Amino acid sequence: MSAPHLRALAGAALLAALPACGDAPIEYQYSPYTGEAFPDRREPVAVPPGGLGIVTDSLSDTLSLLDLGTGEKIGHVPVGRDPVGLDGPHHVTVDRTGGFAYTGLSYPIVATGGPHASHGSSIQPGYVQKLALDDFRILGQVRVDANPGEIVASDDGRRVVVSHYDLQRAIKYPGDLERSRATIALVDPEAVLPTGSADPPRILTCIAPHGMALSRPDGARAYVACYGEDVVTVVDLDKREVIDRIPVDASGGSIGDPKYGPYSAILSPDGKILALGNTVSKDVRFFDVEANAMLPDRQIDTLGAPFFPAFSADGKRLWIPTQSPDALVLWDLETDQEITRRDFTADECKWPHVVDRLDDTRMILICEGDHVVPGKVLTLDAATLATKSETVVGVYPDGIAQIPGAAVGN
């Protein structure tokens, strides 16, 4: 049989199989789907007896989870809004009362040229994400300004505050003080919903605010390290207004071209003293919270740029991580003398960024790395600064929050 005849027969068979004109169409009945459209498949996360450490991996879009008792990495979880692009989780804070974590998404522009070359350069609005501590699923998110920097929660869990280290704003409006100043945003934890939340109120603060600490326990005041203005800004969060801007040096601040560059702000355990890491002048200076004034006779000069230090439990010692040269300094605040110092090779710890106290005998140190290969987290002896353990985390680790375990008494 010829090919045309075969095609004709096939067409006739197909027509015969079709319902005739006027016949009722075939209907298919499906049972309704009763499951979740986007089921949560994350594994539950248990807090180890020694405590859980949460480390932001800025250029991996993950949070690394550490067993603080052993120093080992026990897992990691993805964060962010964009499954393809870079969200850049910068810092993280924990509301232990409510059982939530919050991280700021900074959307960094990947660049080269040294530590923090890309930080503060984004023009894309940032976000704050609220995460459940049992498996780190996303509970909600809220949009904030570009370049979210520090994110802190009050001890009572009623406030979450984020600064905006917006260098682009300062570059765009040189000489215009008000327009070059960035904001801090007040995020209401109860209003961060899965469907999105209302625009959080902002408070115009200073040029390139970054490090920040809240008064204890209610977080009624924020103390903000203002990198681009060389000042400490004190903010009344209840009234939503700036109370004062105090220069970190008696000579005054430098608008838009910092001579000191206060980048970090760490509150002492008794809530009375604020330690400021000045990355331009390479020193740590101190602010008296009760007097609302800098302490003019107390200053620690460092060889490298100091980043996020940590106080001892009694407030008598200070651990200071520095970059270029990379080191960790242990300082006696009573005698005003260096107790010991450890210099790091690039293989040991490149670009130390944050040091935090685990207990009276151990410290934890975040090492950024070169922002290309994964960074490290070191557990150190608090007195000798010797390494007790190390673990590899994601690319550009930048912040840490702790959740105490049953065996942790700190």
Side-chain angles (χ1 to χ4, degrees):
M1 188 178 292
S2 67
H5 287 89
L6 287 174
R7 286 197 293 269
L9 287 174
L14 178 61
L15 289 173
L18 293 175
C21 293
D23 290 350
I26 299 173
E27 294 186 0
Y28 297 93
Q29 298 292 329
Y30 297 97
S31 299
Y33 178 64
T34 58
E36 295 181 56
F38 299 98
D40 178 20
R41 302 188 187 280
R42 298 186 183 225
E43 293 292 331
V45 176
V47 177
L52 181 70
I54 307 168
V55 176
T56 52
D57 303 318
S58 296
L59 298 186
S60 292
D61 278 358
T62 57
L63 301 178
S64 288
L65 306 178
L66 310 181
D67 182 335
L68 296 179
T70 64
E72 297 178 353
K73 180 179 175 180
I74 58 176
H76 65 272
V77 292
V79 291
R81 303 173 62 251
D82 187 340
V84 178
L86 186 63
D87 293 277
H90 183 51
H91 280 195
V92 61
T93 190
V94 167
D95 168 17
R96 299 175 186 173
T97 303
F100 308 116
Y102 298 86
T103 187
L105 307 179
S106 62
Y107 299 98
I109 298 173
V110 178
T112 58
H116 305 279
S118 63
H119 184 36
S121 300
S122 180
I123 59 174
Q124 181 176 344
Y127 276 82
V128 170
Q129 287 194 324
K130 180 179 182 179
L131 312 172
L133 288 181
D134 56 359
D135 62 1
F136 290 90
R137 67 189 182 278
I138 298 171
L139 298 176
Q141 59 192 7
V142 59
R143 190 169 75 172
V144 292
D145 292 345
N147 302 295
E150 185 66 283
I151 183 168
V152 290
S154 60
D155 286 357
D156 60 9
R158 293 192 309 111
R159 304 177 194 268
V160 174
V161 187
V162 59
S163 64
H164 300 105
Y165 185 63
D166 195 348
L167 298 178
Q168 287 299 308
R169 184 186 295 267
I171 294 170
K172 187 176 181 179
Y173 303 109
D176 188 332
L177 183 58
E178 289 304 306
R179 298 182 76 183
S180 61
R181 282 176 170 161
T183 67
I184 60 174
L186 311 183
V187 178
D188 181 355
E190 296 184 357
V192 180
L193 306 173
T195 54
S197 59
D199 200 37
R202 271 84 155 173
I203 302 172
L204 195 65
T205 305
C206 57
I207 300 176
H210 192 270
M212 183 169 48
L214 302 184
S215 60
R216 300 191 184 105
D218 58 355
R221 288 192 175 186
Y223 301 94
V224 187
C226 296
Y227 177 88
E229 227 169 302
D230 285 340
V231 299
V232 179
T233 297
V234 183
V235 184
D236 186 320
L237 297 181
D238 289 326
K239 296 181 180 179
R240 298 181 184 176
E241 64 182 23
V242 170
I243 297 173
D244 210 345
R245 295 184 180 93
I246 299 143
V248 299
D249 188 83
S251 63
S254 179
I255 306 300
D257 185 19
K259 293 188 293 186
Y260 307 99
Y263 187 80
S264 60
I266 305 298
L267 197 61
S268 62
D270 61 8
K272 295 180 179 180
I273 301 296
L274 194 71
L276 299 165
N278 299 299
T279 58
V280 177
S281 56
K282 297 182 180 179
D283 55 52
V284 177
R285 304 188 185 211
F286 298 88
F287 177 81
D288 187 323
V289 170
E290 294 180 339
N292 203 49
M294 297 295 299
L295 293 173
D297 300 327
R298 176 173 286 186
Q299 176 179 320
I300 302 172
D301 294 321
T302 55
L303 291 176
F307 279 82
F308 288 83
F311 283 94
S312 60
D314 58 10
K316 296 180 180 180
R317 291 170 294 167
L318 191 71
W319 287 264
I320 310 168
T322 69
Q323 295 184 6
S324 301
D326 297 341
L328 182 63
V329 177
L330 174 54
W331 196 269
D332 190 318
L333 295 174
E334 290 190 308
T335 64
D336 198 26
Q337 292 181 336
E338 181 182 296
I339 298 173
T340 189
R341 168 194 177 95
R342 179 177 175 185
D343 292 291
F344 295 102
T345 65
D347 290 337
E348 292 173 329
C349 180
K350 185 174 180 61
W351 292 339
H353 188 75
V354 178
V355 65
D356 205 4
R357 189 180 71 88
L358 293 177
D359 51 41
D360 291 337
T361 63
R362 299 176 305 141
M363 308 298 295
I364 195 164
L365 180 66
I366 308 297
C367 308
E368 293 179 23
D370 61 5
H371 304 178
V372 177
V373 301
K376 288 183 180 181
V377 176
L378 306 183
T379 303
L380 306 176
D381 184 282
T384 66
L385 309 186
T387 299
K388 300 174 73 70
S389 67
E390 70 173 56
T391 188
V392 175
V393 289
V395 179
Y396 192 178
D398 199 22
I400 184 170
Q402 296 186 41
I403 304 174
V408 177
N410 58 345

